[in-house]
Amino acid sequence: MMLPSADALAALVPDGALVALPPDNSLPSVAIAKALIRRGARDLRLLGVPVSGFATDILIGAGCVAEVETSAVSLGEAGFAPRFSAALRDGRIIVRDATCPAIHSMLQASEKGIPFMALRGIIGSDILANRPDWKVIPNPFAEEGMDPIVLLPAKQPDFAVFHAALADSEGNVWLGRRRECATIAHASKAALVTVERVVEGNFLDDERMASGVISATYITATAIAKRGARPAALLDEYGFDAAYVADYARAAKTEDGFRAWLDREVFATAQKVAAE
Amino acid sequence: MMLPSADALAALVPDGALVALPPDNSLPSVAIAKALIRRGARDLRLLGVPVSGFATDILIGAGCVAEVETSAVSLGEAGFAPRFSAALRDGRIIVRDATCPAIHSMLQASEKGIPFMALRGIIGSDILANRPDWKVIPNPFAEEGMDPIVLLPAKQPDFAVFHAALADSEGNVWLGRRRECATIAHASKAALVTVERVVEGNFLDDERMASGVISATYITATAIAKRGARPAALLDEYGFDAAYVADYARAAKTEDGFRAWLDREVFATAQKVAAE
Amino acid sequence: MSDIALEERLAATLARLILDPAAPPARHIAVGAASPIPAAACWLVKLLGHPVKLSLLHKRSGNPFTEGTRELFDLTGQGRIDLFFLGGGQIDGQANLNLVGTGEWPGTGVRFPGSFGSAFMYFMTPRTILFREEHSPRVLVEKVDNISAPGVSPPGVFRRGTAQALVTGKCVFAFHPDRARFSLSSLHPGETVDSVRAATGFDFDAEGEIGATPDPTAAELALLRGQVRAEMVETYPEFCGRVWGRAA
Amino acid sequence: MSDIALEERLAATLARLILDPAAPPARHIAVGAASPIPAAACWLVKLLGHPVKLSLLHKRSGNPFTEGTRELFDLTGQGRIDLFFLGGGQIDGQANLNLVGTGEWPGTGVRFPGSFGSAFMYFMTPRTILFREEHSPRVLVEKVDNISAPGVSPPGVFRRGTAQALVTGKCVFAFHPDRARFSLSSLHPGETVDSVRAATGFDFDAEGEIGATPDPTAAELALLRGQVRAEMVETYPEFCGRVWGRAA
């Protein structure tokens, strides 16, 4: 389903939904994050796959988020995520820490329709101590009572939200090597995807394109959002906008600074578009 | 490592090795199978991923195989696999039946470095009854004692053997959408790959190619074998050669017919090449 | 309009089962290799205008899967495949399927190709339509020699569905998982309850008057011979040639 | 040759640890985000002519992974990654790492970004080199407030390796998993055992004469300032500018 804008996609996400987001190095749809802020989404539960970045910080700052499950929240070179840190300090969000491969495995379990997947490591960490939903069992293939191993339950997000380079006439989207977004889409009940542009044809008919495609089977709705990943990079199309993130990091140190940033970068943009 | 021929690749496979092969619809290296016959390989254990076809039948017929683990052995439209059926009837091979997603899961467990992966279904089948290496446990995330589920042990082949369209200067291979070969390569100790041709450059620098690449990290050795998948199809490069398989199916109905076919299609070809 | 070919009747019969309003919806159907009649049924449903997504596993161009064959099983695990077709070298009265072989495991009598994904698909698809054109005591047996995939499972075993029906060259059976038995639904032309009993190795229910399997409608036949054939000829050239002739 | 920058000394020190003949071989090394000094050390090893494969996770062009970030963890699970680098907001005397935060879980004092893959990588890599330039009682603590990844594991817990060493701005420690303690290996210029003790929150062993951390050789410095810099400038422009200046 092709919709007219990222805002139309954001309108499909009810308050309280579990929304999976890739981080700044893997095609986040910052366009949808901004649209969720404009629509005043509340009580979202965000899943960072496997970590969280810019989009998560602005959603938290705007009061859209009740809970974050992730392996880290960071603005990369621009430092700690200021609105995440403030919300955690003030007790306004629940943070459920994981470790990167655990998040991948919980989604892969959902992708495969199995109730759990095992993962090595983790034992003896406080991550495990604070995850009552994770279990340790003796490896059934080892000798009796030996070899404890962590089992992670399948996690099925309500929405996969990401940005791709292209969509085709059939509703397939293409995002090249960033195939972890495919796993998110496979694992989720619905997938909302912004793209730079729509092209004629069917990517699946082209062997050069097919391997980088997420087929329309998994894609609930798509909208064009030019530079929809910005400030994150998009493959070889545009680079990471370090200056934009650094400017954000400075502004979002304070609540007032963040509000001013939101007015300028999230709300004013939409008004400008609406006025055109 | 670039080697001069499929025969040079086959020379790397010791007798008794566990060799994983994709089926006729997913880029088998029939060139390497023929080379294994020429080198007189013995006691190979073949894993069909997830089923077995032409290459498996000729290897069995030539006496190279001690054991086959697979979810089916078939020549597709050309019917049952004649040399497989004869060897099974005569008790010359051990057949370990599985079901398609179980083979994928055992390889994915190896790919992820976990000792097992769960799979739904299978319970109540004689496949399970004949697989003492598969276990049924109560799902630890369900209520006590409820919800039995099958656990499959990780399987690590000694060799992944398949055919790809292209290799590049860096040793990466490209095979488009047939990504199950990537899982075989990831799961295996070594990967031997025939390709149609080698091109300059690095596929990983090209977003259009990267998603269909198996990186050199996983590729032990590569050789050019023109039409190395034949009679199987290769992506959009050449189609399935139904006449060749039908001719084989007729010839291989008898041991004598098969021997004559081998002389003509496996041994004579090499002599011709050597004489050139 | 020429005579109705058995293949056409079977395709139209499968199409009606796919559209059965009493069954869970079939929004996404997968069709395995070497299944031209089920594939024709699916195309017929689609070309009749019903909104259905088809994943035809051996369609060479436009193969929908980018994770290889694994993706079909993952899709099914996710609950995205609503309907699948299965057959079997032997099918018994409890809808157990044997795709492995006769005699001792692993098929020391007649070896069939193998189980493929049946031991998973039969559990994880809300609906399975069993299809086997050969209707004989050799195929439809009292008890399969080896179970590739069981027709019913004990309580507590996760299972989304089982057989909806069994379609053969002679009749249509409905399957009743509550009592693990087939009942005769309809007879193809020329068959009677007795002729079916004589050709069937398992016992089945046949209550009341058993109707005739309806003929394909003129519209269905036109679609089968026109657009369906056109869609299928690339994947199943031999089948299309045999049933509908070489000419377009 | 100008003065040796601390970053250059640290890179050369890490390179020597990578090449330690007593440690398991480092054929394939992965380097995480925001780790320019470990990355420089790896390039130095490679450009010195040692056969090593590098997976630099945040290299934008030629990213080696086609399964996204999952592939690093799968590769490591397969046993194909021999060496990884980890740091931590807190590191304690048993080589436990805290990347989560101080105070109560999940970091109610100072919150750090989070554990990333440390709780997996630290177990599954045969060798980990711990690196943290800041050497202070705030970072090197007696006991971490929260354990992102433990330095040692009880017998029976599957673990391929743990810390080989901890490199800081003041010294090099070796880690001894058998007794879960660090020992002082070498002192950077200007440091003494006492100055290191004063700056370290955990107790450590310091037996016999502790040598000086060797200076980078002239060949190493030339490589760092030339080819290493050239390889790194795309991924770490700010770091390269700061340490080696903007000009080529």
Side-chain angles (χ1 to χ4, degrees):
Chain A
M1 172 168 63
M2 196 70 203
L3 292 182
S5 66
D7 292 272
L9 297 178
L12 300 175
V13 180
D15 290 350
L18 176 60
V19 178
L21 299 174
D24 295 345
N25 62 353
S26 186
L27 310 186
S29 177
V30 175
I32 295 178
K34 288 182 173 180
L36 284 166
I37 293 171
R38 283 193 293 270
R39 96 144 187 74
R42 286 294 173 270
D43 296 326
L44 298 179
R45 292 167 296 138
L46 302 184
L47 178 69
V49 187
V51 300
S52 305
F54 181 81
T56 294
D57 202 59
I58 66 174
L59 283 163
I60 290 171
C64 302
V65 179
E67 193 176 313
V68 183
E69 176 165 357
T70 190
S71 306
V73 188
S74 162
L75 297 181
E77 297 287 313
F80 290 5
R83 291 297 95 204
F84 162 74
S85 298
L88 176 63
R89 193 172 54 233
D90 299 349
R92 281 183 279 114
I93 52 167
I94 293 168
V95 180
R96 201 184 293 259
D97 279 273
T99 187
C100 299
I103 288 181
H104 292 306
S105 293
M106 290 188 291
L107 292 172
Q108 282 189 283
S110 210
E111 178 179 54
K112 299 193 75 65
I114 55 179
F116 56 84
M117 198 175 277
L119 187 64
R120 288 299 192 185
I122 311 176
I123 292 171
S125 72
D126 287 325
I127 298 168
L128 181 60
N130 286 279
R131 291 297 304 234
D133 55 329
W134 296 2
K135 287 182 190 289
V136 179
I137 65 161
N139 171 7
F141 292 89
E143 284 175 51
E144 195 68 39
M146 296 290 290
D147 195 19
I149 187 165
V150 176
L151 295 187
L152 305 160
K155 185 162 291 270
Q156 184 178 41
D158 297 316
F159 293 92
V161 165
F162 54 87
H163 186 73
L166 306 170
D168 69 14
S169 313
E170 307 294 319
N172 304 306
V173 301
W174 183 86
L175 38 58
R177 77 183 78 190
R178 301 305 327 197
R179 296 185 54 81
E180 66 256 64
C181 291
T183 299
I184 309 175
H186 298 170
S188 298
K189 290 179 198 158
L192 308 178
V193 186
T194 48
V195 297
E196 294 292 317
R197 53 198 179 277
V198 177
V199 299
E200 293 289 308
N202 183 344
F203 296 143
L204 294 173
D205 290 339
D206 179 349
E207 289 292 344
R208 295 286 175 291
M209 295 296 279
S211 55
V213 165
I214 303 177
S215 98
T217 297
Y218 307 98
I219 308 296
T220 312
T222 309
I224 291 175
K226 295 274 183 204
R227 304 211 144 225
R230 186 170 182 263
L234 174 62
L235 305 175
D236 55 2
E237 300 218 358
Y238 47 85
F240 181 70
D241 189 342
Y244 188 88
V245 178
D247 171 64
Y248 169 79
R250 271 189 303 273
K253 276 185 185 151
T254 65
E255 177 68 21
D256 285 351
F258 175 73
R259 289 287 148 195
W261 183 91
L262 268 192
D263 284 344
R264 190 177 76 233
E265 296 293 332
V266 177
F267 293 109
T269 318
Q271 283 158 8
K272 205 183 96 205
V273 171
E276 272 166 7
Chain B
M1 173 169 60
M2 196 72 203
L3 293 181
S5 67
D7 291 270
L9 296 179
L12 300 175
V13 180
D15 289 351
L18 176 60
V19 178
L21 299 174
D24 295 343
N25 63 353
S26 187
L27 309 188
S29 177
V30 175
I32 295 177
K34 289 182 173 178
L36 284 165
I37 293 171
R38 283 192 293 269
R39 97 143 186 73
R42 286 293 172 272
D43 297 326
L44 297 179
R45 293 168 296 139
L46 302 184
L47 178 69
V49 187
V51 300
S52 305
F54 181 81
T56 294
D57 203 58
I58 64 173
L59 282 164
I60 290 171
C64 304
V65 178
E67 192 176 315
V68 183
E69 176 164 0
T70 189
S71 306
V73 188
S74 163
L75 298 181
E77 296 287 311
F80 289 4
R83 291 296 96 201
F84 163 74
S85 298
L88 176 64
R89 193 173 54 235
D90 300 348
R92 282 184 278 112
I93 52 166
I94 294 169
V95 179
R96 200 185 293 260
D97 278 273
T99 187
C100 299
I103 288 182
H104 291 306
S105 293
M106 290 189 290
L107 292 172
Q108 282 190 283
S110 211
E111 178 179 54
K112 299 192 76 63
I114 55 180
F116 57 84
M117 199 175 276
L119 186 65
R120 289 298 192 187
I122 313 175
I123 293 171
S125 71
D126 288 324
I127 298 168
L128 181 61
N130 287 279
R131 291 297 304 234
D133 56 328
W134 296 2
K135 287 181 188 289
V136 178
I137 65 160
N139 171 8
F141 292 88
E143 283 175 53
E144 196 66 40
M146 296 290 291
D147 195 19
I149 188 164
V150 176
L151 296 188
L152 306 160
K155 185 163 290 274
Q156 183 178 40
D158 296 315
F159 293 91
V161 166
F162 53 88
H163 186 72
L166 306 171
D168 68 13
S169 314
E170 307 292 320
N172 304 305
V173 302
W174 183 87
L175 39 56
R177 76 183 78 192
R178 300 307 323 198
R179 295 185 54 82
E180 66 257 65
C181 291
T183 298
I184 309 174
H186 297 170
S188 298
K189 290 179 198 158
L192 307 178
V193 186
T194 47
V195 298
E196 294 292 317
R197 54 197 176 277
V198 178
V199 299
E200 293 288 310
N202 183 343
F203 295 143
L204 294 174
D205 289 339
D206 179 349
E207 288 292 344
R208 295 286 175 293
M209 296 296 279
S211 56
V213 165
I214 303 178
S215 97
T217 297
Y218 306 99
I219 307 298
T220 312
T222 309
I224 290 176
K226 295 274 182 205
R227 303 210 147 226
R230 184 169 182 261
L234 175 63
L235 306 174
D236 54 2
E237 300 218 358
Y238 47 85
F240 181 70
D241 189 342
Y244 188 89
V245 178
D247 172 65
Y248 169 79
R250 270 189 304 273
K253 273 184 185 150
T254 65
E255 177 68 21
D256 286 350
F258 175 72
R259 289 287 150 194
W261 184 90
L262 269 192
D263 284 343
R264 190 177 76 234
E265 295 293 332
V266 176
F267 293 109
T269 317
Q271 284 158 6
K272 205 182 95 205
V273 170
E276 271 167 8
Chain C
M1 188 77 64
S2 62
D3 286 349
I4 296 163
L6 179 59
E7 290 84 354
E8 292 172 332
R9 177 179 305 282
L10 294 172
T13 300
L14 291 171
R16 274 191 299 277
L17 286 166
I18 292 169
L19 293 169
D20 182 353
R27 293 152 303 197
H28 190 164
I29 308 175
V31 182
S35 303
I37 294 174
C42 291
W43 279 114
L44 183 55
V45 165
K46 191 177 178 72
L47 293 167
L48 283 166
H50 298 277
V52 63
K53 184 170 180 69
L54 302 182
S55 286
L56 307 173
L57 303 193
H58 283 246
K59 194 158 183 286
R60 181 147 172 261
S61 59
N63 177 320
F65 297 134
T66 61
E67 312 266 359
T69 64
R70 184 174 80 210
E71 191 167 347
L72 168 69
F73 304 108
D74 287 352
L75 259 178
T76 304
Q78 292 155 28
R80 295 189 206 251
I81 299 289
D82 300 309
L83 173 60
F84 196 63
F85 296 88
L86 285 172
Q90 294 180 324
I91 300 171
D92 74 19
Q94 296 194 299
N96 294 313
L97 309 181
N98 177 6
L99 292 88
V100 168
T102 65
E104 292 294 300
W105 190 269
T108 52
V110 177
R111 169 73 197 200
F112 309 141
S115 297
F116 291 96
S118 60
F120 176 81
M121 298 300 284
Y122 207 15
F123 285 76
M124 296 300 278
T125 311
R127 280 205 271 165
T128 299
I129 297 178
L130 302 179
F131 175 68
R132 181 72 205 250
E133 195 171 336
E134 178 179 340
H135 187 141
S136 73
R138 185 183 81 131
V139 170
L140 304 184
V141 297
E142 177 65 32
K143 189 90 190 84
V144 293
D145 291 4
N146 295 291
I147 299 177
S148 289
V152 294
S153 298
V157 171
F158 185 93
R159 182 160 195 156
R160 292 202 181 116
T162 181
Q164 170 188 356
L166 165 61
V167 175
T168 74
K170 291 185 183 296
C171 69
V172 179
F173 294 107
F175 186 63
H176 307 278
D178 50 332
R179 59 181 194 268
R181 274 179 75 83
F182 285 105
S183 69
L184 192 57
S185 294
S186 71
L187 295 159
H188 300 345
E191 301 296 335
T192 64
V193 175
D194 286 344
S195 74
V196 168
R197 284 225 188 269
T200 308
F202 58 74
D203 192 30
F204 57 83
D205 300 329
E207 282 162 38
E209 187 73 19
I210 306 298
T213 306
D215 288 350
T217 65
E220 287 170 340
L221 280 176
L223 278 174
L224 283 167
R225 293 167 184 180
Q227 288 175 267
V228 170
R229 182 187 179 289
E231 292 288 354
M232 288 183 53
V233 74
E234 184 202 41
T235 315
Y236 302 104
E238 200 180 331
F239 174 84
C240 291
R242 179 163 52 78
V243 178
W244 293 307
R246 294 275 158 202
Chain D
M1 186 79 63
S2 62
D3 287 349
I4 298 161
L6 178 60
E7 290 84 353
E8 292 172 332
R9 177 179 305 281
L10 294 173
T13 300
L14 291 171
R16 273 190 300 277
L17 286 166
I18 292 169
L19 293 169
D20 182 354
R27 293 152 303 199
H28 191 164
I29 308 176
V31 182
S35 302
I37 293 174
C42 292
W43 279 114
L44 182 55
V45 165
K46 193 178 177 73
L47 293 168
L48 283 167
H50 299 277
V52 62
K53 186 170 177 71
L54 302 182
S55 287
L56 306 172
L57 303 191
H58 283 248
K59 193 158 182 284
R60 182 148 172 257
S61 59
N63 177 321
F65 297 134
T66 62
E67 311 266 358
T69 65
R70 184 174 80 211
E71 192 168 346
L72 167 69
F73 305 108
D74 287 353
L75 260 179
T76 305
Q78 291 155 28
R80 294 189 206 252
I81 299 289
D82 300 307
L83 173 61
F84 195 63
F85 296 89
L86 285 171
Q90 294 181 324
I91 299 172
D92 74 19
Q94 296 194 300
N96 293 312
L97 310 181
N98 178 5
L99 293 86
V100 167
T102 65
E104 292 293 299
W105 188 269
T108 52
V110 177
R111 168 74 196 198
F112 310 142
S115 297
F116 292 96
S118 61
F120 176 80
M121 297 299 286
Y122 206 17
F123 285 76
M124 296 300 278
T125 311
R127 280 206 272 166
T128 299
I129 297 178
L130 302 179
F131 174 67
R132 182 72 206 253
E133 194 172 337
E134 178 179 340
H135 187 141
S136 71
R138 186 183 80 131
V139 170
L140 304 185
V141 297
E142 176 65 34
K143 190 92 190 82
V144 294
D145 290 4
N146 296 290
I147 299 177
S148 289
V152 295
S153 297
V157 171
F158 184 92
R159 181 158 196 160
R160 292 202 182 116
T162 182
Q164 170 188 356
L166 165 60
V167 175
T168 73
K170 291 183 183 297
C171 68
V172 178
F173 294 107
F175 186 63
H176 307 278
D178 50 332
R179 59 181 196 266
R181 275 178 76 83
F182 285 105
S183 68
L184 192 57
S185 295
S186 70
L187 295 161
H188 300 346
E191 300 297 336
T192 65
V193 175
D194 285 345
S195 74
V196 168
R197 285 226 187 269
T200 307
F202 57 74
D203 193 29
F204 56 84
D205 300 328
E207 281 162 38
E209 187 74 18
I210 307 299
T213 306
D215 287 349
T217 65
E220 287 171 340
L221 280 177
L223 278 172
L224 285 168
R225 292 167 186 181
Q227 286 176 268
V228 170
R229 181 186 179 289
E231 290 290 353
M232 289 183 54
V233 72
E234 184 201 44
T235 314
Y236 301 104
E238 200 180 330
F239 174 84
C240 292
R242 181 162 51 76
V243 178
W244 293 308
R246 293 277 158 200

